[in-house]
Amino acid sequence: MRFSDLVDTAAMQRLCDGFSAITHTTTVLMDLDGTWLAASRSRHLCAGFHRMAPPTAARCRESDAHLARRLDGGEPYAIHTCQNGLVDVAVPIVVGGRRLANFYAGQFFLEPPDRAAFAAQARAFGFDVDAYLAALDEVPIIPRERVPAIMSFFADLARFAGEMGLARRSEQEASRSMAASEALLRTLTDASPDAVFLKDRDGRWLFANPAALALLGRRPDEVLGRTDFEIFGPAEAVAIQALDREVMERGEPRVVEEELRTPRGPRVFLTHKGPYRDLEGVVAGVVGNATDITERQRLEEQLRQAQRLESIGRLAGGVAHDFNNLLTVILGCTEAMRADARAGRPMLEEDLDQIQQAGDRARDLTRQLLAFARKQVIAPVCMDLNAAVTGAERLLARVLGEDIQLTVATADQPAPARCDPGQLEQVIMNLAVNARDAMPRGGSLTLETASDVRLPEDLARPGDPAHAWVRLRVSDTGCGMPPDVKSRLFEPFFTTKGRGQGTGLGLATVHGIVSQGGGRIRVESEPGRGSRFEIYLPRAEEPLGEAASPPEAGASRGTESLLLIEDDSQVRAVTARVLRSAGYEVTVAANAAEARAAFQQSERLDLVVSDVVMPGIDGKALVEELRGTRPGLRALFLSGYAEDVIAHRGVLEPGVEFLAKPFTAAALTARVRSLLDRDRA
């Protein structure tokens, strides 16, 4: 940086001229490289005599060099009497802590000169003595004590001018830098395919890049300075400004998916919003960008649909395989029993046992399929995850065997969640069995619970609570999984186990149960490093409840009058036979018309036992119709798939009594007896 770059040299020349006029001295303002920036005219004694003769000119140059060396050495002020007898003085010009120039003043005396000595000097160098002495009389006399103040005054003026120039240069550089930054930012935002925008605290748009304007289908003058209510529809504007206020109040960024109406029709955007802060760090608005993900979502949905079709094909094949095995057992045992009956031989108890076991396996398989499809009817209660894990510990110890060490670590505080107790036990058991199979040579299994945890960002969805989650973590030291297996972990009938060692529905069932309960599941696993399953369930804020105890088989007989409504003839016949064998008076109906007729003819009706899904009208609607004539009529619903008739998203509605198909005779009669006796207790 040079002093000449900071100051106006014409102004410096005027400053030197003014200083010379006041002090009658000769002045020079010089850059450090020796360039003269400004100078006043020399006294005639120097210009007309000393600078003209080589010997005296050499003395002048030596004096200049002497002063420069002293300033280079760091002296703040240098005064020197040259060999020609005149006094010269110099001060550095310091700007921003750096010496950028030197100011010289000279050709004066500190006291009246010795005229005889100067006359002798004139004769020695061949000068005209009278002319030389006349020039000597023009040289000013400045007392020594005044010299520092005079020089300091000029140095301060020069420094002030330099600092102003430095400030001006800094402003110019800052302005150029800001202009370059703005140009770069403008280039980036103009080239961005995402909409970039900036709004103030009142929701007025301050900036919108071309992509944002194209998204809105508006010109800049139709957007800038306007609010969301002037740009979007009322409902959209309310939602947008609510999110903006949340971002500004919390001072934290948010990421949301939002659907907006555009000239291209409704589009889905992934929008990032963050607080915009001013120079003092105060939140002054909202800055954000929005990415159109409509096409990406369409492609993702196509991929999911293709994967879904593949899974459905695998599911159908797996179901067919398992049910064909079960039907083979049932049909084979039935034919054997018929042959024995025709030959007069007694039926073998073994055949009945085989049929019973095949039926039980078919029932379990359908329940797993419903759980996977999230269509299982559940009755959730508020229960403590800690208690569920502790309660399953003894059973797990037997399932795992002695070569697997089981560790249970529960949270210090209750971990309440709304769950179906049976389903939660199934989740724990399935994960434990999966871990056991991954540790054929033994290992360790750890179950941990946590209360009031944050949902990981990769599992979060818009609208999820930040902290209201409880967690079950199941970790094993087994063989782990490669990425290709991990990616298909929850597909139905996908298994890495050998034939006959698993159905491939265990983890698919876990995923279905967790999803139906509004939870999330995460898996971490690497080959040779074990696996860790983390299940997050919404934390319940209601008091802990207790699961309803299953009805006990036993004294389930009665003489009450029942109306059985079932459209499947075989199920209707078997159900009526079971109830009649228990002593009940049963009237059967195959459809709604028969049910209405039987209801009108009945003088006494204690309970309606109805299928849920029937042609024409569902069981619940039919029962409500009958209750219009006979309020308080009790009902028990039977179904293998309740859809949303008596359950919302699989959760049983309050006050609805339900028995899932398939059921045993003991379970049916016990449930009927319990329901009939409830109001009498």
Side-chain angles (χ1 to χ4, degrees):
M1 181 170 56
R2 294 159 51 92
F3 190 66
S4 56
D5 297 331
L6 303 180
V7 297
D8 181 353
T9 54
M12 289 296 99
Q13 182 61 57
R14 290 193 296 272
L15 185 61
C16 284
D17 290 342
F19 185 88
S20 182
I22 295 172
T23 63
H24 303 289
T25 60
T26 298
T27 58
V28 176
L29 182 62
M30 188 184 299
D31 248 338
L32 294 183
D33 61 2
T35 302
W36 286 29
L37 305 180
S40 61
R41 190 176 61 180
S42 297
R43 298 286 95 190
H44 183 57
L45 184 64
C46 283
F49 295 96
H50 295 162
R51 296 281 180 179
M52 300 304 293
T56 52
R59 291 177 175 181
C60 292
R61 291 193 296 272
E62 189 281 327
S63 180
D64 295 341
H66 176 81
L67 292 173
R69 286 194 299 272
R70 291 178 61 181
L71 295 183
D72 290 343
E75 294 188 29
Y77 166 78
I79 188 169
H80 177 65
T81 301
C82 74
Q83 295 181 36
N84 292 324
L86 278 73
V87 176
D88 295 322
V89 65
V91 291
I93 305 300
V94 179
V95 178
R98 293 174 57 189
R99 181 166 69 103
L100 299 183
N102 295 328
F103 174 64
Y104 298 89
Q107 302 177 18
F108 66 91
F109 295 122
L110 299 175
E111 55 188 20
D114 183 348
R115 292 176 62 81
F118 275 93
Q121 182 171 268
R123 288 191 292 271
F125 290 106
F127 300 143
D128 184 295
V129 175
D130 292 334
Y132 187 79
L133 292 178
L136 179 68
D137 292 337
E138 297 175 358
V139 176
I141 299 172
I142 303 175
R144 180 182 293 273
E145 62 273 10
R146 290 183 56 200
V147 173
I150 294 173
M151 298 300 292
S152 177
F153 175 74
F154 185 90
D156 288 344
L157 287 177
R159 180 170 58 252
F160 177 70
E163 289 178 347
M164 289 185 62
L166 182 62
R168 185 165 56 252
R169 180 175 179 177
S170 297
E171 290 176 359
Q172 292 171 349
E173 290 177 351
S175 178
R176 287 193 295 269
S177 177
M178 182 177 295
S181 296
E182 290 178 352
L184 176 60
L185 179 61
R186 176 71 65 175
T187 301
L188 293 175
T189 56
D190 286 356
S192 173
D194 295 343
V196 182
F197 55 88
L198 174 66
K199 293 186 279 186
D200 64 15
R201 288 194 68 89
D202 297 325
R204 287 189 295 269
W205 285 62
L206 304 179
F207 173 80
N209 72 333
L213 296 174
L215 179 159
L216 300 172
R218 295 174 180 264
R219 300 188 307 273
D221 60 293
E222 296 175 321
V223 174
L224 301 182
R226 300 179 183 271
T227 68
D228 294 311
F229 286 95
E230 299 173 272
I231 298 174
F232 301 101
E236 291 175 326
V238 168
I240 290 171
Q241 292 210 344
L243 179 62
D244 290 351
R245 285 193 298 271
E246 180 183 345
V247 169
M248 289 186 289
E249 290 171 0
R250 293 188 177 183
E252 297 177 352
R254 284 290 309 276
V255 181
V256 297
E257 282 188 14
E258 51 188 358
E259 183 174 325
L260 301 175
R261 287 174 293 175
T262 73
R264 298 170 58 192
R267 309 289 291 181
V268 180
F269 294 90
L270 182 65
T271 303
H272 296 71
K273 290 186 177 182
Y276 164 62
R277 301 180 185 274
D278 60 19
L279 296 178
E280 284 73 35
V282 178
V283 176
V286 171
V287 62
N289 71 287
T291 305
D292 189 340
I293 60 172
T294 309
E295 185 66 17
R296 187 177 77 186
Q297 284 193 339
R298 185 184 68 82
L299 294 175
E300 289 176 349
E301 180 57 31
Q302 289 180 350
L303 176 60
R304 282 193 294 269
Q305 183 67 17
Q307 293 173 334
R308 192 177 298 118
L309 291 174
E310 181 183 355
S311 295
I312 290 173
R314 190 181 302 109
L315 175 63
V319 171
H321 173 270
D322 286 2
F323 269 97
N324 282 337
N325 287 341
L326 299 175
L327 290 173
T328 298
V329 173
I330 294 172
L331 293 174
C333 291
T334 302
E335 291 175 356
M337 293 171 65
R338 286 184 183 278
D340 289 342
R342 291 193 189 101
R345 295 189 296 270
M347 290 186 297
L348 295 177
E349 191 76 19
E350 180 183 350
D351 290 334
L352 295 175
D353 291 341
Q354 289 290 337
I355 294 174
Q356 178 72 48
Q357 291 173 12
D360 290 342
R361 288 172 57 195
R363 176 198 60 200
D364 294 341
L365 181 59
T366 56
R367 286 179 179 175
Q368 285 182 308
L369 291 171
L370 288 174
F372 159 72
R374 290 172 256 173
K375 298 297 184 181
Q376 196 172 21
V377 178
I378 60 175
V381 297
C382 183
M383 59 183 300
D384 186 3
L385 193 60
N386 297 335
V389 172
T390 304
E393 185 173 0
R394 180 176 299 178
L395 179 59
L396 288 177
R398 291 198 299 268
V399 170
L400 296 174
E402 296 181 354
D403 57 345
I404 295 179
Q405 180 181 355
L406 175 64
T407 302
V408 175
T410 57
D412 295 335
Q413 300 296 325
R418 280 189 59 80
C419 306
D420 183 292
Q423 283 199 331
L424 183 57
E425 181 180 333
Q426 187 176 5
V427 166
I428 297 172
M429 193 61 58
N430 285 8
L431 291 176
V433 169
N434 184 75
R436 180 200 64 189
D437 293 344
M439 299 182 287
R441 298 181 180 179
S444 63
L445 176 67
T446 303
L447 276 67
E448 304 170 82
T449 62
S451 176
D452 196 11
V453 297
R454 179 186 293 271
L455 190 67
E457 291 185 2
D458 59 313
L459 298 181
R461 301 170 188 166
D464 281 339
H467 292 282
W469 298 84
V470 297
R471 183 185 67 211
L472 168 64
R473 177 182 290 163
V474 180
S475 308
D476 66 62
T477 59
C479 58
M481 294 175 282
D484 60 324
V485 172
K486 181 181 172 183
S487 65
R488 303 180 60 189
L489 197 59
F490 300 116
E491 293 183 15
F493 292 102
F494 173 76
T495 180
T496 59
K497 301 172 185 176
R499 183 177 298 274
Q501 295 182 358
T503 64
L505 280 174
L507 294 180
T509 301
V510 169
H511 187 273
I513 290 174
V514 172
S515 299
Q516 187 177 21
R520 309 281 192 276
I521 185 168
R522 166 197 256 180
V523 183
E524 296 178 0
S525 183
E526 294 181 19
R529 304 188 65 176
S531 301
R532 183 170 73 180
F533 289 77
E534 289 184 342
I535 293 173
Y536 294 83
L537 298 172
R539 180 183 170 88
E541 301 300 333
E542 59 194 272
L544 293 173
E546 295 182 0
S549 301
E552 296 181 1
S556 302
R557 301 182 60 81
T559 58
E560 286 86 352
S561 177
L562 312 180
L563 173 59
L564 171 63
I565 310 171
E566 172 60 64
D567 61 317
D568 188 285
S569 59
Q570 289 183 305
V571 175
R572 184 172 63 248
V574 170
T575 305
R577 178 180 176 182
V578 168
L579 293 173
R580 284 168 179 159
S581 65
Y584 296 104
E585 180 183 335
V586 181
T587 302
V588 296
N591 50 51
E594 292 183 9
R596 294 188 185 101
F599 178 76
Q600 292 173 357
Q601 296 173 5
S602 65
E603 297 181 359
R604 173 190 169 199
L605 184 58
D606 298 296
L607 177 68
V608 174
V609 179
S610 176
D611 188 20
V612 174
V613 182
M614 297 184 297
I617 186 172
D618 62 74
K620 183 184 179 185
L622 179 57
V623 168
E624 291 299 327
E625 178 185 322
L626 301 181
R627 283 174 175 166
T629 303
R630 194 172 302 181
L633 179 64
R634 287 169 291 190
L636 173 64
F637 294 102
L638 312 174
S639 183
Y641 173 35
E643 293 184 331
D644 284 338
V645 177
I646 60 171
H648 178 64
R649 294 183 180 178
V651 179
L652 199 65
E653 294 181 0
V656 174
E657 298 294 335
F658 175 77
L659 181 62
K661 297 177 182 176
F663 48 77
T664 63
L668 173 63
T669 55
R671 191 63 177 274
V672 168
R673 186 70 266 158
S674 173
L675 185 55
L676 289 171
D677 292 342
R678 181 173 301 172
D679 293 339
R680 300 172 187 172

